Structure formats: C-alpha cells, structure tokens
Amino acid sequence: MFRPALWLSTTALVLPAAAFAQSSTPAPATDGYHSEAPPEIIVTAPYQRNQADILSGTSVLSGEALTRELRPTIGETLARQPGVSATSFGPNASRPVLRGLQGERVRVLTDGIGSFDVSNTSVDHAVAINPLTADRIEVLRGPSALLFGSSAIGGVVNVIDSRIPRRVPDEPVHVDAIATYGSAANERSGSAAVDVPVTDKIVFHLDGTYGKTDDLDTGGYILSRPLRAQAAASADAGTRELADLRGKLPNSQSEMWEVAGGAAVVTDTGNLGFSVSHLDNRYGVPIRYSLDGGEAEQVTLHVQQTRADMRAEVDTGGGLLEKIRLRAGFADYRHDEIEDTGAIGTSFFNQGLEARLELVQAARGGWRGAVGGQMFIRDLNIVGDEKFLPKSETQQFGLFTLQSFDMGAFRAEAGGRYEYTVARAAADDLLGNDNIRRSFDSFSGSLGGSVGLAEHLRFGINGSHTERAPSAEELFANGPHAGTQAFEVGNAGFAKEISDGIEATLKGSGDGYSFGLSAYHNWFRNFIYENPTGTVRDDLPVFQYSQADARLWGFEAEASARVAKFGETAINVDGLADYTRATIVDRGPAPRIPPLRVLGGIEAQGRMVQVRGEVEHVTRQNRVADLETTTPAYTMVNASVSLKPFGKGSNTSLMLSANNIFDVEARRHASFLKDYAPLAGRDIRVTARLAL
C-alpha cells in the first residue's frame, strides 16, 4: 500500500529551492491572464513544438472553437475533430475514440496526468475530467503520443486547465466564468474560477462547477431499425410498444458538481503549485431494452472522486539542462451502480497515483531533446452482484526520451520508451484460489524525418514500433458486465500487444490558409479484442478476449482558407475528412470502427462578431464484425453566432448555436449502445463566457 500524501510532499523537494528565490514575476500573457499558446504550438510534450514539426496528426481546441464545441463530456466535446469519434454511451458517458481505437489504447489526461477513473474498464463509466474547466485541449494521434505510455498507442487527449496557476495576475482578483443552456437535454451548467494574488509571487485559485440535465431529446426513434422490426414482431405487447418509442432517451438525466482549490509560487525561474478537487456526478445509463419480454435494467451511476495534484518547474539557466519539470497526482475514486429500487448493485473502488519527471535538455544548435521517467500505480476493487474483475493492482514504471534535430530544410526526430508493468489479481471466486502475477517488459520507439518542399510546406514520414502490456481487465475479467451487456472473459496468459506502424504527413500554411494530411498503416501482432463465443452465461452473451494479428490503416485531412475580406471581416472556409479501416486477420472487420466522415464549414470573422455554418456527413458503416449491426449514414447541419463585446482580443463572449438543425436521427458506429441510444436531436445552445 502506498501513502500518496507523504509521497507527494516528498517529491516536491527534489527541485532546487533556488527556483523560488527570485523576486520578479513574468509578464502576463497579452491575451488575458491564462497562458494561451497559439493553436499552431503543441504544449503536450517535454518542450513546445510547432504542429508542422510533429510527424503525426495533432489537433488543438481552444478559444471560440472550444466554447462552440463544449459539451458535458470530453468525448462529445472532441467528436468533430479530425480522426476523433466518441463512444457515445448516452449523453453522460462519452470517451474519445482516436483512429478507431478506444479504451486501453487511448490516454485521457489532465495537464499531462491521467484521469484516475475507471472509464477504461467500461463504456458506461464517465471520464472524471470536467470540460467546463478546460482552457485548451490538445489531441495527439499516432506515435507522438508514446511519451505518455504504451497504452497511448491510439493517441492522447490532454485537457489543460489553470487549477495550478502558471502566472500571477496583474489585477487584485481575476475571474473566469462560463454558463451554458442546451435545449436538447434542458442542460443548465455553469462554472466559475477566481485567482487572487496574495503577494507578487503567490497566487490562490478556487473554482466550482454545477450542471444538471433532463432526459436527452433525440432526433427520432430510440431503437435502431433492426431492433424496431424485432420488437414489432414480438408476441409480447409491452415489447411491441418499444417499436414506436421515440423522442426522449429514457434514463439519460444527470446532475454533477465539482469544487477545486489550488495555490502556486511563481517566479521568473520556476514555479511550484498544488491543487485539490472533489467531483460528484450522478447520471442515468440509457436502458438497453430486452426484446424477448424480459426486464430491462435501469441503472444510475453515482461517481465521487477526490484528487490532489502538484506541478513544479525549474528553469536551470542553461548548461546541460534548460528545465526540470515534475508533475504528480493522486486520486481516490468510487462509483456506485444504483438499481431502480435504490439499492446499490455494484461498487467500484479505485486508487491511482501517477508521477512524471522531465529533464529538458538545453538547445545545442538545432538539437533539442528531453529524457524522463514516469510511474503509475492503480488499485482497483469491485464489490457487488456484477463484479466481473477480481481485486487487482497495476504498477508501471517507464523511461522515455525524445530527440529532435533541425538542419534547416531537413528535420529528424527519434523517440524511445521502456516500460515495466506488473499486474496482480487476488485469489477469489472469479479466478480460483491462487493469486496471479504477470509482468511485462515493453520497448517502443519511433524514428522519422521531414523535409521542406517549399516555404511553409513540409512532408514527413515516421516509423514506429510499439509494445503494450495487456490491462488487468483484458487479463483477469471473468464475470457479468452490465455496461456492455456481456459476460466478459479475459485470458491471464496473454502476450504483449505489438504494433509496427508507418505514417506520412503533409502540412502547409501561409497567408490566409493552412492544411494538413496524415496517412497511416499499422500492423498488429497479438491484437487484443473481444470475440463473441456464441454461448450464454447468466443470461448474457459470452465475449472472450482474444489475440490475433490485425491491420489498421486510414487517413485524416483538414484545411482552411480565407476566401474574401471586407474591411475587418474575413470570410474563411474549412473542411476535414477522416477514415479508418481495421481488420482482424483471418476473421474479418474489427468491431466499432467509425466510417468515413466529412465536414465543411464557412465562417465570417469580424472584430466583434463571428458567424459560422457547417455540414457534417457520416457515411453508412456496413463493414461490421460478428453480431454487429450496420449503422446508417447521417448528415447534420450546425450554425453559430458569437459576439465579443470588448473586441477580438477579449475572452468575454456570448454565443448562440444551433446543432443538428434538421433534427435528424444519428448514431455513432463506435458506440456499444448505438442501437438503443441515438445522438442528440435539435439542440439550441446559449453560452456566455466572462473574463475579468
């Protein structure tokens, strides 16, 4: 057992005290109190890099775009970014899907540290990260994400907030607030943050969030067409009524609140800060109706998490190292699955600790680099009727490096990571009377380069080798899992999952335009996936985790251009497209892979007003795995108007947006629940953001 409070207080002492002996404070950012790097700069790395220099797909969501896309879940907030879909397990539990990969292959971080929840164990478990507190969200897809763990083979989502302040405000009190109303779920939410400087080097932070929704109003029938036909043909009168169910999505309501406090010491050569937060989230899980006349479960989840975080950074002044950074966090998490009788059926208890140390090398001509170490410990215990996993502990320890070389027209990059993982399962009635221990040594690396074909135009190619240790869920599962409506069976004898990949990128920008194109191909050995066996246990279909070779390839493209300018108003057009194709060798299509998607928009950007319209078309997915149903195509039309009363440089804004204007019925193929829970119908949203 570890002692997180003692560990966090001790690790703070590893950084030189001289970093906090300076008397001056860095000047605030010109665009407001919060540090806001421009969109072309990626800060999710040991050192800041330009998007054009990263040899894989990246996205940044900030400013007006973040305000427009903001939703109660991180998955829905990011769902219109290139290469990103969402698990969409109803409106309250939606995790990002990157390049068709989800769960254990995507890391969701807050300021570089994991979310310490159990969203990776089941799609009905919400991510314990509050999008309303985000200043900026960065998405890294492909091998550039491997610095954050072998489980990031699909990519990394990093939510950057200001709970641990990075600078001292000029004003006596700095206030940020946001309030939103959404008509589709009668959504009412608000968040406010206050930063108060108590000296010229010390700042306190406090923030709070509250949100509440009713059942989601969808754009059509609740059940998909195949299930409606099955329901209509039933001999049971109650089941036949389900064929006509439409509109409101039953049991999709939610209520959440969160509070957090932090403090930091900030000087011109370093900073040290801490924060503590508590999240309380109660939400309904949409009903997976039984079509054979049986009872359907109506479950409410009550999530509670308390976490503590620290961040420290020292500017060493050059020499061998430029900076030393330490980031650490601990969380105590619990959620109860409450039945419609009010009784608690199953409880999940999770304690997590993660720490990350980065040593950023001083630049040597065109050579930059960093080395670091990372540790992660998780204790998970499930208690109750639907316990599908024994008490387990996972420990991971990693060493990593990133080295980049700028030789003018040609640039090269190399990265490597070694990771040691230990997974333990306690003896119980799921696995027998013996404790089980598995350990894995994983080696991952990437090597690539880019060449300037012309000014502001670069072509890059990158090769990668990735090894991932199986998760505790993949190794030790052996029980009924209500979230996926399956009896899940793991395999304690699994080998490492291995992937060799190649990715090519073409990126360009200039006066009034930018574009990016990524194409990738991955060859997997020992790819882990859930395979239906055709048998039934506890009235649930049995899904056995299996390993096989697999192939995954696809592309992402995005572009924007200024097509006209009238005084201070610019007219821009933009578009994106993405596609992923995944195949289990000798078996067929991999499950829950999103189909081709295209999105185009036009936007008028003025000094005080922005007007945008966009059309998103997702094609039919008829390339399906065993027991999957096809997913129809859909087209959504969205529009928004944003007013900045204090001018373009201000963070104060008022936005009116209309999403899914024509109220179409839409379902995401990546969702386990797509046949029972469509996406939101017409949603009129009003969002006010204030910065003082």
Side-chain angles (χ1 to χ4, degrees), residues 571-654:
I571 308 298
N572 299 315
V573 296
D574 58 75
L576 67 85
D578 51 38
Y579 176 73
T580 300
R581 185 181 179 96
T583 302
I584 309 297
V585 175
D586 297 328
R587 187 167 187 91
R592 292 175 295 281
I593 301 299
L596 173 68
R597 184 262 303 264
V598 294
L599 185 151
I602 182 168
E603 188 167 331
Q605 297 179 343
R607 187 177 67 87
M608 297 178 61
V609 179
Q610 294 187 15
V611 180
R612 177 178 174 82
E614 65 181 27
V615 178
E616 178 186 26
H617 178 72
V618 178
T619 62
R620 175 182 176 87
Q621 180 59 288
N622 52 17
R623 191 174 186 273
V624 297
D626 292 342
L627 303 184
E628 271 194 311
T629 57
T630 60
T631 303
Y634 65 85
T635 300
M636 285 190 181
V637 179
N638 311 312
S640 65
V641 178
S642 175
L643 172 65
K644 287 201 167 188
F646 304 120
K648 191 173 182 179
S650 170
N651 287 327
T652 297
S653 64
L654 178 65

Side-chain angles (χ1 to χ4, degrees), residues 242-258:
L242 296 177
D244 298 321
L245 188 63
R246 61 184 301 156
K248 295 289 185 182
L249 180 63
N251 201 43
S252 59
Q253 74 290 339
S254 69
E255 184 173 14
M256 67 82 68
W257 60 269
E258 186 180 30

Side-chain angles (χ1 to χ4, degrees), residues 15-33:
L15 297 181
F20 311 106
Q22 306 298 320
S23 60
S24 60
T25 301
T30 57
D31 57 352
Y33 162 64

Side-chain angles (χ1 to χ4, degrees), residues 3-14:
R3 297 181 178 178
L6 176 62
W7 190 91
L8 286 174
S9 61
T10 303
T11 53
L13 300 179
V14 304

Side-chain angles (χ1 to χ4, degrees), residues 53-268:
D53 296 332
I54 298 178
L55 300 174
S56 58
T58 58
S59 301
V60 176
L61 197 58
S62 62
E64 286 299 294
L66 176 58
T67 301
R68 182 175 60 247
E69 301 296 339
L70 203 59
R71 299 293 186 275
T73 66
I74 192 68
E76 296 304 314
T77 298
L78 295 173
R80 279 193 280 270
Q81 301 305 300
V84 184
S85 185
T87 56
S88 301
F89 203 89
N92 305 307
S94 188
R95 207 171 188 268
V97 176
L98 306 184
R99 295 182 170 176
L101 301 176
Q102 55 180 285
E104 290 297 333
R105 300 183 183 92
V106 174
R107 289 216 68 193
V108 181
L109 312 175
T110 175
D111 198 17
I113 292 293
S115 55
F116 299 127
D117 52 39
V118 293
S119 62
N120 63 313
T121 68
S122 177
V123 287
D124 64 326
H125 301 162
V127 178
I129 293 179
N130 178 8
L132 285 175
T133 63
D135 295 330
R136 177 184 178 98
I137 304 175
E138 296 187 348
V139 182
L140 277 66
R141 303 176 293 276
S144 62
L146 293 177
L147 292 178
F148 294 90
S150 61
S151 60
I153 185 171
V156 158
V157 172
N158 191 18
V159 181
I160 301 167
D161 59 34
S162 300
R163 282 189 168 159
I164 302 177
R166 290 177 169 82
R167 59 187 67 240
V168 180
D170 281 343
E171 59 268 46
V173 178
H174 181 86
V175 178
D176 282 300
I178 185 169
T180 296
Y181 172 77
S183 66
N186 193 24
E187 174 190 338
R188 298 87 78 196
S189 64
S191 181
V194 177
D195 293 273
V196 179
V198 294
T199 73
D200 63 346
K201 293 185 291 185
I202 300 176
V203 56
F204 288 160
H205 171 93
L206 180 67
D207 70 70
T209 300
Y210 177 78
K212 188 173 184 178
T213 68
D214 299 336
D215 285 344
L216 181 71
D217 195 4
T218 70
Y221 289 99
I222 299 302
L223 298 183
S224 65
R225 179 173 293 180
L227 295 192
R228 295 203 308 274
Q230 184 180 342
S234 173
D236 180 75
T239 302
R240 288 198 301 272
E241 292 178 358
L242 296 177
D244 298 321
L245 188 63
R246 61 184 301 156
K248 295 289 185 182
L249 180 63
N251 201 43
S252 59
Q253 74 290 339
S254 69
E255 184 173 14
M256 67 82 68
W257 60 269
E258 186 180 30
V259 294
V265 181
V266 183
T267 76
D268 57 355

